[in-house]
Amino acid sequence: MSHSFRTRAATIAGGAVATYFTARYVEESLSFERIDACLGIHQRFEENACWCATHSLPKCPSSAAAVAPTLLSQLKRENADNIRLAVAAALSEASSDDDAAVYRVTRQLSTVGASSGDGAFVQGCCPRGAIVCFYHGPVYGPLVGRVKLMLTDPGSAYALVMPDGYIINGKTSGATSDGSDESTLLAGPLCQHPPKGRQPNVMFYPAVCDVAAMPAAAAASIDKVAWYDTAPLTFDARQETRTMVLVALRDITDEELFVDYRYMPGDNLPKWYSPVAREGEVPQEKWDPPRPNFDWFIHA
């Protein structure tokens, strides 16, 4: 092997490594939410819905507009703080030995149809605003992670994009038919899109948690719910653990969980998909340009 070939190979390898780490640095440093804001994409509806669900208001989301914080940034901060506290409480409760749980989330055949497979069901009464379960699975970065996911799990039907660009590839293996122990937390990826004419009873909401600030029981449980596929380079994974929770939009008693998948118009939509009408919003088929938000799935 000639010296020139070895030199060229080393140069190419060095360039590839440098490109990889540069891309990793960029994906961890860019604010994709700010980019969305510059493009006129925001989550006002989702933030209002979450705020209303976690506060004592009679209707969601329109009544929230009159009392919720006016500034979207303040609304997001309040929601994020409330959800972080709720995450710690849900994880601690699920890890306890108390058998007198108010509700459990179980895995059963979906009521949507025989071809829909399993769904997630609440047994008992889950109050409005509670974290019903988590979107269980590994977290991938917005750029390099997305490419890796496309190569390792192409066409994943459970890849869910967070508002900051990170992606959770949901795993359906965690939930059980009895919702025993911590498995009740892991049913998020089993939640079905509501059939035509029905409204969702849960919504997606992102959470970024500092594990060190959690009670010990919660910290011990969160690794079973969410983990980074590749360790971050520029921040401590334990201080910024990402996950997606499913928040109850109303009281839910002994019924199947439905969440709006929020597919984009123009996508290759499956025949079973029916857009969910939102109060005061232009019908999805008339969106121009399309307005994506964080509660929609991607097909890598």
Side-chain angles (χ1 to χ4, degrees), residues 124-211:
C125 181
C126 174
R128 183 180 72 172
I131 291 181
V132 189
C133 54
F134 291 74
Y135 201 80
H136 162 62
V139 180
Y140 292 79
L143 300 177
V144 177
R146 185 181 296 250
V147 173
K148 181 178 180 180
L149 181 58
M150 291 173 64
L151 295 174
T152 58
D153 193 3
S156 172
Y158 297 99
L160 178 63
V161 180
M162 301 182 74
D164 58 6
Y166 283 79
I167 304 164
I168 303 176
N169 193 27
K171 301 298 180 184
T172 61
S173 57
T176 63
S177 59
D178 60 359
S180 59
D181 302 324
E182 294 174 343
S183 68
T184 195
L185 298 175
L186 311 180
L190 290 172
C191 292
Q192 299 279 356
H193 182 78
K196 188 173 183 178
R198 295 194 63 175
Q199 288 291 314
N201 50 19
V202 293
M203 69 171 289
F204 292 122
Y205 198 86
V208 181
C209 304
D210 182 354
V211 178

Side-chain angles (χ1 to χ4, degrees), residues 48-74:
N48 275 339
C50 181
W51 195 95
C52 181
T54 54
H55 291 73
S56 299
L57 293 172
K59 191 178 179 184
C60 184
S62 59
S63 60
V67 291
T70 303
L71 291 177
L72 182 58
S73 58
Q74 182 182 354

Side-chain angles (χ1 to χ4, degrees), residues 203-246:
M203 69 171 289
F204 292 122
Y205 198 86
V208 181
C209 304
D210 182 354
V211 178
M214 287 182 168
S221 296
I222 197 167
D223 289 336
K224 302 172 184 177
V225 171
W227 60 94
Y228 288 101
D229 175 76
T230 303
L233 294 178
T234 63
F235 60 87
D236 187 339
R238 302 293 287 172
Q239 293 181 341
E240 296 184 32
T241 296
R242 286 172 165 81
T243 185
M244 189 76 84
V245 301
L246 287 99

